[in-house]
């Protein structure tokens, strides 16, 4: 049976009989096979752990030094800008750097697309995407963190480019998983089964659990620095929108002729039963006072201490309301006395459970007042009842006025009506045509995949697709909008009768459809909705357009749909990506996105899949903050693992994290995750990688401290077009900067973040820190004005642009340091996250290929000199350096003699004229056939002893070389020895020959005859 349903022309087939199992080809029920396989794997893990415990086998402990933890102690209210006038700490500390920035970013609205209008460099381009909504069943793990790191880097890059950007956060309701978790929790904590509760009561338990876990996930996303537009956050079970009201607002509500006022805080009084003393309460929904069962105050509020335990008389029902004390009350809200209506407020419901209060429902499902509200209001529409209640309070002298009050009004996205909390207690999609359209979109080039290798997987799965069962026998989820129809004279409905089912967005529409289908009056029809809920993946497949306001025609839907990009794990290509494509084409008439960027499966350092039962699932916050081994174990115990799995997991944690996890910080975590090759092979995460990135953060920190110290107090940056590098090393660093900017742009355009992070890391570490900073130190010490000013400007420019390049990956560190840099712009952007991302087009033509090529040779000379220094263990001495080379080579080295002297740690550098000799007492090393270096060791070492050591070394290397060569001369070597071994042998021979030549040259240097007069 195929019906037209509320989400469009999607084929539905009546479900199978209740209780039917899903059977597979081997004849065993799938859940039985899964359980047997899981038990087998579990036994194997236990045996492996016991074997290792007996043999003492385990992973070697990776030592690390715990850096000093420095915290930001300047009082800064949430949302206020961090004080950057205080001196920087001596070393990098994540806790100091990450403090206070995120609330300020959020309050300033930097993450909202509306901020686009304030960007002077704004472009007429839009970029939108939705975060793959993580399951509400638990906290995020490093797999989620990888998705966040990739998406946020791209989002921040586009925003800094001046694009209008929307990144929508969300959370998946995870139907089956959530219900299982909550059922376990109910049994563990209350000894109750789901069947002991009504459907409505169970769903309230799930919603309560969701509020706790959902908040944890959003907290993790904020700690990760995710630049999400939180005002547009969506939950896949949401059917409401939130409208922020700054004060009194008049809104049109369906079913009401006049607009209804909201954003008003009404005050009225309850009188005590014994003394007539009044307690004034405040509410934005005065009509709910008919369901009040108590008034609660804070136990520390001296205004009401004497009233706790007394009874208040309800003016209309005569019900006695106890005055209770609870710390949940906010003393600053309203009067500090809170009316409790547990049947119609989530917080009040929690209070009712705690204080064992009755639940009185005063609303009917149609928005009218129920019998419990009294005869004078029964059947009256709720907002009409509001006016009657206010009038009745005034008549009894209990009305105490109202005032404007900012609030968030929850509106139904379907009807536009105000959502009222109430106490509430196998279909198939025919996929063949949908799948064909999805395959055709890829073939036509309307949809693209990165990496392209997944196109074959896409076709293979969709070409063999079966109908999609979307029925789930759960209470948690989107209830299927299918209704069984009964009317006088209808056939017996005990069986699955096709003709007596109807679909509708709501009961009214279903009734109209049923009346039309059966040719009878609507008043004769009775409807019973199917008890099943939709498959979670169906709800998630609607997310790209539902998050934008669908099915209503919202501005976000017009402006940001379809999304620009989807980034997700390759393991979701069937479960989520294909279904989003199918439903997007079917319901919206176009693809939900044009490009899909898949990242690989995230595994632990051993290549194992992340699994709670293995103990290798890592919370990103544990990497950010650091965590001890004991706390890791405790978190396992707080989960839902059975004791046997918990034992396996704890053993795994002991092996992988013998000293816990060190504090690495958000920026190091994000940079590390973005540095992996995400397309292709699986990603094996290792804590050592995060530690390496933390050390990189410290390197940047020290570089910027050096830069700040090098810039005078009144430093004024020049515009880039006024920077004209005169020194060769200055031209080299600006050319390297230009090259890095181009590499970053290309990497981002191709969504190859590994290439971007690699280019940034290379520039900061190898170009800026290891080379340029060392080379300019003598200039900065000299105090000569002309070269000093040039170096300061280039140092500022290089670090400022490099911070901007890094910002999408390390938002906290770059913000902290960038804010302390001076600016040549009169109206500089308030944050690095909304400043212009560096581009080649905005900079002068600083491309100096000759200097880059020449300096590569300079670095080769430095490498050879450093190797000689290491051979002779010269740690502090700065011997004289003489370079014998051709005239052309000398021309390449000449402009870089100062940097060469600094980087090689030589006392002086002299280029010898062709045919010229170096002084006696020099050791010789060969750079290439056109260049040799002579390092004067006279007075630094004992020549005779050094000759003896070198001769012995020469003999030893010669013997090793002879042995290595003899291995390559055995009969049948080329045919019998594998190519890999032959390559290793050839490489070893070349290495030994080079080492022997260097030792021989060194011996000749010590055996040279005395100098000829020059």
């Amino acid at each position: 049976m195929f019906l037209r349903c509320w989400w469009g022309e999607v084929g539905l087939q009546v479900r199978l009989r209740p209780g039917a199992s899903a059977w597979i080809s081997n004849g065993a029920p799938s859940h039985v096979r899964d359980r047997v396989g899981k038990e087998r794997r579990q036994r194997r893990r236990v045996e492996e752990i016991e074997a290792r415990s007996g043999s003492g086998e385990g992973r070697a402990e990776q030592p690390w030094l715990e850096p000093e933890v420095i915290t930001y102690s300047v009082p800064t209210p949430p949302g206020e800008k961090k004080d950057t006038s205080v001196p920087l700490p001596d070393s990098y500390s994540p806790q100091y750097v990450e403090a206070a920035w995120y609330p300020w970013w959020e309050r300033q609205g930097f993450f909202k697309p509306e901020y686009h209008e304030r960007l002077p460099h704004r472009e007429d381009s839009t970029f939108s995407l939705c975060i793959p909504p993580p399951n509400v069943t638990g906290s995020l793990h490093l797999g989620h963190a990888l998705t966040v790191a990739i998406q946020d880097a791209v989002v921040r890059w586009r925003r800094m480019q001046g694009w209008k950007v929307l990144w929508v956060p969300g959370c998946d309701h995870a139907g089956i998983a959530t219900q299982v978790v909550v059922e376990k929790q109910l049994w563990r904590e209350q000894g109750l089964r789901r069947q002991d509760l009504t459907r409505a009561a169970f769903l309230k338990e799930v919603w309560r659990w969701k509020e706790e876990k959902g908040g944890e996930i959003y907290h993790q996303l904020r700690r990760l620095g995710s630049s999400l537009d939180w005002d547009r956050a969506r939950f896949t079970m949401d059917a409401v929108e939130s409208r922020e009201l700054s004060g009194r607002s008049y809104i049109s509500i369906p079913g009401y002729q006049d607009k209804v006022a909201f954003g008003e805080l009404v005050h009225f009084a309850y009188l005590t039963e014994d003394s007539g003393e009044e307690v004034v309460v405040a509410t934005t929904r005065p009509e709910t006072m008919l369901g009040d069962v108590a008034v609660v105050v804070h136990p520390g509020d001296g205004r009401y201490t004497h009233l706790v335990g007394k009874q208040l008389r309800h003016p209309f029902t005569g019900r006695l309301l106890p005055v209770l004390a609870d710390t949940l009350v906010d003393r600053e809200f309203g009067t500090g006395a809170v009316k409790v209506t547990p049947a119609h407020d989530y917080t009040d419901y929690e209070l009712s459970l705690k204080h064992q209060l009755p639940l009185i429902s005063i609303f009917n499902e149609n928005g009218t007042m129920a019998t419990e509200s009294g005869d004078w209001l029964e059947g009256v529409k709720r907002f009409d009842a509001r006016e009657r209640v206010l009038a009745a309070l005034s008549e009894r002298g209990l009305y105490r006025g109202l005032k404007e009050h900012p609030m968030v009004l929850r509106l139904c996205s379907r009807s536009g009506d105000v959502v009222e909390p109430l106490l509430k207690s196998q279909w198939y999609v025919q996929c063949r045509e949908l799948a064909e359209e999805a395959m055709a979109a890829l073939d036509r080039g309307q949809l693209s995949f990165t990496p392209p290798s997944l196109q074959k997987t896409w076709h293979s799965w969709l070409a063999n697709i079966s109908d999609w069962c979307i029925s789930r026998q759960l209470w948690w989820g989107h209830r299927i909008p299918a209704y069984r129809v009964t009317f006088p004279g209808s056939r017996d409905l005990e069986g699955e009768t096709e003709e007596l089912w109807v679909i509708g967005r709501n009961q009214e529409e279903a009734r109209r459809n049923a009346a039309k289908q059966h040719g009878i009056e609507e008043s004769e029809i009775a409807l019973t909705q199917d008890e099943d809920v939709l498959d979670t993946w169906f709800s998630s497949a609607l997310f790209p357009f539902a998050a934008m306001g669908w099915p209503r025609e919202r501005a976000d839907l017009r402006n940001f749909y379809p999304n620009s990009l989807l980034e997700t794990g390759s393991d979701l290509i069937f479960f989520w990506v294909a279904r989003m494509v199918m439903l997007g084409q079917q319901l919206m008439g176009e693809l939900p996105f044009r490009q899909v960027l898949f990242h690989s499966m995230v595994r632990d350092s051993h290549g194992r899949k992340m699994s709670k039962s293995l103990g290798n699932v890592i919370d990103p916050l544990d990497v950010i903050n650091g965590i001890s081994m004991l706390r890791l174990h405790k978190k396992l115990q707080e989960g839902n693992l059975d004791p046997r799995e918990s034992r396996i997991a704890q053993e795994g944690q002991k092996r992988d994290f013998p000293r816990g996890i060190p504090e690495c910080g958000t920026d190091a975590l994000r940079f590390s995750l973005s540095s992996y090759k995400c397309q292709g092979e699986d990603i094996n995460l290792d804590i050592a990688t995060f530690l390496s990135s933390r050390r990189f953060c410290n390197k940047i920190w020290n570089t910027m401290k050096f830069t700040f110290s090098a810039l005078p107090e009144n430093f004024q940056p020049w515009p880039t077009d006024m920077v004209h590098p005169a020194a060769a090393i200055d031209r080299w660093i600006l050319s390297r900067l230009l090259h890095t900017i181009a590499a970053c742009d290309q990497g981002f355009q191709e969504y190859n973040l590994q290439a971007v992070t690699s280019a940034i890391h290379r520039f900061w570490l190898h170009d800026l820190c290891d080379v340029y900073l060392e080379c300019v130190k003598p200039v900065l010490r000299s105090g000569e004005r002309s070269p000093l000013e040039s170096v300061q400007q280039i140092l500022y420019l290089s670090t400022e642009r490099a911070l901007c390049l890094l910002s999408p990956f390390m938002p906290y560190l770059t913000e902290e340091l960038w804010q302390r840099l001076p600016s040549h712009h009169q109206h500089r952007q308030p944050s690095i996250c909304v400043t212009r991302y560096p581009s080649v087009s905005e900079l002068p033509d600083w491309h100096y290929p000759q200097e880059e090529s020449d300096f590569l040779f300079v670095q080769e000379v430095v490498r050879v000199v450093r190797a000689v220094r290491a051979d002779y263990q010269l740690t502090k001495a700065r011997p004289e350096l003489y370079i014998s080379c051709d005239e052309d080579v000398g021309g390449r080295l000449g402009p870089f003699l100062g940097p060469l002297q600094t980087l090689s740690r030589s006392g002086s550098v002299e280029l010898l004229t062709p045919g010229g000799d170096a002084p006696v007492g020099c050791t010789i090393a060969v750079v290439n056939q056109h260049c040799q270096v002579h390092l004067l060791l006279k007075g630094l070492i004992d020549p005779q002893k050094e000759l003896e050591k070198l001769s012995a070394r020469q003999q030893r290397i010669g013997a090793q070389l002879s042995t290595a060569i003899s291995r390559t001369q055995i009969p049948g070597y080329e045919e019998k020895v594998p190519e890999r071994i032959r390559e290793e042998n050839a490489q070893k021979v070349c290495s030994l020959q080079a080492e022997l030549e260097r030792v021989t040259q060194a011996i000749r240097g010590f055996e040279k005859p005395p100098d000829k007069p020059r």
Side-chain angles (χ1 to χ4, degrees):
M1 170 182 182
F2 299 99
L3 304 175
R4 182 191 303 271
C5 63
W6 59 275
W7 50 75
E9 287 286 338
V10 179
L12 293 179
Q13 182 176 317
V14 176
R15 62 179 180 177
L16 298 172
R17 58 186 174 82
S21 299
W23 293 85
I24 55 179
S25 58
N26 65 3
S30 60
H31 68 278
V32 173
R33 189 183 72 163
D34 291 346
R35 184 178 66 248
V36 171
K38 182 176 181 179
E39 291 176 351
R40 187 187 306 117
R41 291 190 299 271
Q42 193 177 65
R43 285 196 302 271
R44 192 183 306 122
R45 293 190 206 114
V46 172
E47 291 168 359
E48 290 173 355
I49 288 171
E50 290 174 346
R52 279 193 296 268
S53 299
S55 63
E57 179 187 346
R59 184 180 178 186
E61 183 174 331
Q62 298 293 325
W64 70 81
L65 295 176
E66 287 286 359
E68 179 186 2
V69 175
I70 305 170
T71 58
Y72 173 74
S73 58
V74 179
T76 305
E80 294 296 319
K81 188 176 181 180
K82 188 174 182 178
D83 185 358
T84 55
S85 64
V86 296
L88 278 176
D90 291 336
S91 60
Y92 166 74
S93 176
Q95 290 190 34
Y96 180 92
V97 169
E98 295 170 20
W101 286 121
Y102 198 94
W104 179 66
W105 290 334
E106 203 173 340
R107 183 172 180 178
Q108 294 298 310
F110 296 144
F111 305 157
K112 301 181 69 62
E114 290 77 12
Y115 196 86
H116 175 260
E117 296 302 319
R118 299 167 63 179
L119 298 178
H121 58 283
R122 61 182 175 272
E123 300 283 344
D124 187 20
S125 300
T126 299
F127 185 83
S128 61
L129 77 164
C130 298
I131 192 170
N135 285 351
V136 72
T137 49
S139 59
L140 303 182
H141 54 66
L142 285 181
H144 297 109
L146 174 64
T147 297
V148 170
I150 294 171
Q151 289 198 358
D152 198 31
V154 175
V155 162
R156 287 177 178 270
W157 166 62
R158 285 300 191 195
R159 187 182 292 118
M160 292 176 72
Q161 282 191 315
W163 288 37
K164 179 185 286 188
V165 174
L166 173 61
W167 188 21
V168 181
C171 199
D172 189 279
H173 68 277
I176 297 174
T178 300
Q179 182 156 316
V180 168
V181 169
V182 175
E183 287 192 55
K184 285 184 177 180
Q185 184 171 296
L186 275 173
W187 180 256
R188 185 173 62 249
E189 296 179 358
Q190 303 180 38
L192 295 175
R193 298 176 303 163
R194 170 171 57 92
Q195 292 77 6
D196 296 329
L197 305 175
T198 65
R199 182 170 185 152
F202 178 76
L203 290 179
K204 284 198 171 291
E205 291 288 339
V206 182
W207 275 108
R208 180 172 62 178
W209 184 90
K210 177 265 172 187
E211 293 303 320
E212 297 172 359
K213 291 298 181 181
E216 180 180 346
I217 287 173
Y218 286 171
H219 169 67
Q220 288 176 301
L221 288 172
R222 284 182 164 91
R223 283 298 309 276
L224 285 166
S226 313
S227 58
L228 293 152
D229 184 353
W230 291 105
D231 290 340
R232 289 176 165 91
R234 291 290 180 267
F235 180 52
T236 53
M237 277 288 288
D238 280 346
V240 303
E241 298 173 349
S242 296
R243 183 182 300 181
E244 292 188 11
L245 306 180
S246 57
R248 184 180 294 112
S249 302
Y250 292 90
I251 300 174
S252 296
I253 303 298
Y256 293 83
Q257 186 174 357
D258 299 325
K259 291 185 177 181
V260 180
F262 296 93
E264 296 177 337
L265 194 64
V266 175
H267 292 72
F268 68 90
Y270 280 123
L271 304 181
T272 57
E273 173 68 7
D274 55 354
S275 63
E277 185 177 355
E278 71 176 37
V279 176
V280 178
V281 297
T283 179
T284 58
R285 301 155 64 210
E287 67 277 11
T288 62
M289 62 90 66
L290 278 305
D292 285 359
V293 296
V295 170
V296 182
V297 299
H298 193 281
D301 195 337
R303 296 173 294 176
Y304 303 111
T305 305
H306 65 290
L307 295 174
V308 175
K310 294 192 175 183
Q311 302 280 335
L312 308 175
R313 176 70 66 177
H314 197 289
F316 304 129
T317 66
R319 194 164 49 243
L320 290 177
L321 314 181
V323 179
L324 307 173
D326 198 296
T327 56
L328 192 62
V329 174
D330 181 2
R331 285 179 281 188
E332 304 303 320
F333 177 78
T335 63
V338 178
K339 58 187 284 300
V340 180
T341 319
H344 303 293
D345 184 274
Y346 301 115
T347 304
D348 292 0
Y349 178 73
E350 298 298 325
L351 286 169
S352 74
L353 295 178
K354 185 175 181 180
H355 297 283
Q356 298 181 328
L357 299 173
L359 306 175
I360 301 175
S361 182
I362 60 168
F363 295 123
N364 295 317
E365 292 184 12
N366 61 2
T368 60
M369 304 301 288
T371 304
E372 289 76 7
S373 62
D375 295 341
W376 64 296
L377 289 178
E378 184 178 359
V380 176
K381 291 189 291 186
R382 55 183 167 157
F383 297 125
D384 292 338
R386 176 179 294 182
E387 300 303 321
R388 295 193 187 186
V389 169
L390 291 177
L393 287 170
S394 296
E395 289 176 2
R396 287 166 171 75
L398 299 175
Y399 180 73
R400 297 293 179 267
L402 61 81
K403 63 179 181 179
E404 290 194 40
H405 176 68
M407 63 177 292
V408 175
L409 186 66
R410 290 165 56 83
L411 299 173
C412 177
S413 62
R414 301 281 189 264
S415 65
D417 206 347
V418 176
V419 174
E420 195 74 58
L422 298 174
L423 290 173
K424 288 292 179 186
S425 60
Q426 312 275 359
W427 296 82
Y428 284 77
V429 174
Q430 192 178 47
C431 293
R432 176 60 57 192
E433 293 182 5
L434 301 178
E436 289 175 354
E437 283 298 314
M439 289 188 287
L442 190 65
D443 295 338
R444 291 192 295 260
Q446 297 170 329
L447 181 67
S448 65
F449 288 168
T450 302
S453 58
L454 287 170
Q455 293 180 11
K456 183 178 180 180
T457 308
W458 177 264
H459 279 285
S460 176
W461 186 73
L462 289 177
N464 298 284
I465 195 170
S466 302
D467 287 345
W468 176 12
C469 178
I470 57 171
S471 283
R472 294 294 181 269
Q473 288 71 52
L474 302 170
W475 286 356
W476 173 247
H478 287 122
R479 195 167 175 184
I480 291 180
Y483 298 82
R484 187 185 291 274
V485 182
T486 59
F487 52 85
S490 63
R491 290 176 293 174
D492 178 48
L493 301 180
E494 291 299 318
E496 301 289 339
T497 308
E498 291 184 357
E499 292 75 18
L500 297 181
W501 283 96
V502 69
I503 293 291
R505 304 180 206 190
N506 50 46
Q507 218 174 66
E508 286 71 26
E509 182 175 298
R511 191 181 306 281
R512 290 195 299 271
N513 293 342
K516 182 178 180 180
Q517 178 179 331
H518 297 287
I520 59 177
E521 296 294 326
E522 292 184 22
S523 58
E524 298 182 60
I525 292 174
L527 299 175
T528 305
Q529 187 174 1
D530 194 300
E531 292 289 325
D532 288 357
V533 298
L534 288 167
D535 176 15
T536 302
W537 289 112
F538 189 99
S539 302
S540 297
L542 305 175
F543 195 72
F545 41 94
M548 305 295 178
W550 178 87
R552 289 181 173 272
E553 184 63 29
R554 303 291 188 190
D556 280 357
L557 195 61
R558 292 192 300 270
N559 296 333
F560 300 107
Y561 186 88
N563 291 177
S564 307
L565 175 74
L566 173 72
E567 196 287 329
T568 188
S570 56
D571 56 324
L572 296 181
I573 187 170
F574 313 134
F575 296 109
W576 194 41
V577 180
R579 287 160 175 173
M580 281 190 289
V581 168
M582 291 192 295
L583 293 189
Q585 288 182 301
Q586 182 73 9
L587 304 183
M588 300 298 296
E590 60 181 323
L591 292 165
F593 31 76
R594 304 296 182 191
Q595 185 171 5
V596 185
L597 177 64
F598 291 103
H599 65 249
S600 303
M601 176 74 73
V602 176
R603 300 182 180 275
D604 67 9
S605 58
H606 307 292
R608 302 174 303 179
K609 186 177 179 179
M610 298 289 188
S611 168
K612 291 181 181 178
S613 60
L614 288 176
N616 60 359
V617 174
I618 303 175
D619 184 337
L621 298 191
D622 293 341
V623 178
I624 293 171
N625 303 322
I627 189 171
S628 67
M629 173 60 66
L630 290 177
R631 180 58 189 146
L632 281 172
H633 287 351
K634 188 173 181 182
K635 290 181 73 171
L636 278 178
Q637 296 165 4
E638 293 168 354
N640 289 300
L641 292 179
D642 62 43
R644 189 179 182 86
E645 288 182 325
S646 181
R647 178 189 170 196
I648 296 172
Q650 288 191 24
E651 290 292 338
Q653 287 180 341
K654 288 177 182 178
R655 291 194 315 276
D656 290 344
F657 317 114
R659 294 180 53 195
I661 299 175
E663 179 193 42
C664 297
T666 299
D667 291 318
L669 172 62
R670 288 169 56 111
F671 191 83
S672 296
L673 293 171
S674 301
S675 300
Y676 282 96
K677 183 180 180 182
C678 294
Q679 287 83 45
E681 299 178 357
D682 289 347
I683 300 169
N684 293 355
L685 296 179
D686 195 340
I687 295 299
T689 307
F690 304 138
L691 279 172
S692 176
S693 292
R694 172 174 173 144
R695 287 190 286 268
F696 178 48
C697 291
N698 194 62
K699 193 78 170 181
I700 295 170
W701 185 267
N702 291 333
T703 300
M704 292 308 300
K705 283 180 68 69
F706 174 85
T707 301
F708 295 140
S709 67
L711 302 181
E713 186 174 345
N714 58 348
F715 177 79
Q716 288 295 320
W718 297 341
T720 54
D721 57 2
M722 291 180 59
V723 178
H724 304 291
I729 193 65
D730 293 340
R731 292 194 296 274
W732 174 82
I733 191 64
L734 291 180
S735 189
R736 292 301 306 150
L737 175 62
L738 202 70
H739 178 84
T740 303
I741 291 173
C744 289
D745 180 69
Q746 181 180 351
F748 266 124
Q749 295 289 351
E750 298 171 353
Y751 298 117
N752 183 357
L753 300 194
Q754 184 189 40
V756 180
T757 54
S758 177
I760 293 172
H761 185 270
R762 187 185 310 113
F763 180 78
W764 272 101
L765 200 61
H766 301 299
D767 298 339
L768 198 57
C769 301
D770 291 351
V771 175
Y772 189 70
L773 262 60
E774 296 301 321
C775 292
V776 300
K777 285 178 180 178
V779 179
L780 294 172
R781 287 194 295 264
S782 72
E784 296 181 27
R785 181 175 178 181
S786 178
L788 179 61
E789 283 187 346
S790 179
V791 163
Q792 288 171 337
Q793 293 293 337
I794 292 171
L795 184 59
Y796 165 83
L797 180 64
S798 300
T799 53
E800 194 274 341
R801 293 288 80 191
L803 286 174
C804 291
L805 289 174
L806 183 62
S807 182
F809 304 98
M810 293 188 175
Y812 291 107
L813 178 61
T814 54
E815 187 76 83
E816 182 75 35
L817 298 171
W818 184 85
Q819 290 286 348
R820 298 169 185 267
L821 279 170
S823 171
H824 59 79
H825 296 294
Q826 186 176 0
H827 302 291
R828 182 171 78 163
Q829 291 302 304
S831 168
I832 192 173
C833 68
V834 289
T835 197
R836 182 192 293 273
Y837 196 78
S839 66
V840 173
S841 60
E842 68 165 329
L843 297 176
D845 185 13
W846 287 333
H847 181 46
Y848 300 107
Q850 188 61 52
E851 279 78 356
E852 289 205 53
S853 175
D854 291 347
F855 195 72
L856 283 175
F857 184 68
V858 171
Q859 289 177 303
E860 181 61 20
V861 173
V862 170
R863 185 191 65 79
V864 171
V865 174
R866 287 179 174 177
V868 174
R869 291 178 60 91
D871 285 343
Y872 293 102
Q873 300 179 353
L874 303 178
T875 55
K876 296 182 179 180
R878 294 180 175 271
E880 298 173 8
L881 173 63
Y882 299 88
I883 303 176
S884 175
C885 57
D886 296 346
E887 188 173 345
D888 290 344
V889 174
R892 298 177 66 187
L893 295 177
F896 292 100
L897 289 185
L900 199 158
Q901 177 182 342
T902 301
L903 297 175
S904 65
R905 301 189 65 191
S906 301
S908 63
V909 178
E910 181 181 339
L911 291 177
L912 298 175
T913 58
D917 292 326
V920 175
C922 285
T923 185
I924 305 172
V926 176
V927 179
N928 61 27
Q929 58 182 345
H930 304 291
C931 182
Q932 294 179 337
V933 294
H934 307 257
L935 205 60
L936 183 60
L937 302 182
K938 187 177 181 179
L940 300 177
I941 60 173
D942 185 330
Q944 190 59 39
K945 288 184 178 180
E946 199 59 41
L947 272 172
E948 292 174 1
K949 289 195 318 186
L950 287 172
S951 297
R953 187 176 173 190
Q954 184 184 43
Q955 293 176 9
R956 185 174 67 254
I957 296 173
Q960 292 174 350
L961 179 60
S962 298
T963 302
I965 292 175
S966 66
R967 289 175 182 165
T968 66
Q969 295 174 342
I970 61 175
Y973 178 76
E974 294 293 332
E975 295 80 17
K976 297 179 180 179
V977 178
E979 182 180 0
R980 179 179 59 83
I981 303 299
R982 295 201 308 271
E983 290 177 354
E984 291 177 359
N985 289 341
Q987 186 176 1
K988 185 173 183 180
V989 168
C990 290
S991 176
L992 288 170
Q993 287 173 336
E995 188 176 0
L996 182 61
E997 176 62 21
R998 197 172 73 182
V999 172
T1000 303
Q1001 290 285 354
I1003 291 174
R1004 290 173 188 163
F1006 283 104
E1007 292 176 340
K1008 273 182 62 175
D1011 268 337
K1012 297 177 182 179
R1014 286 190 290 170

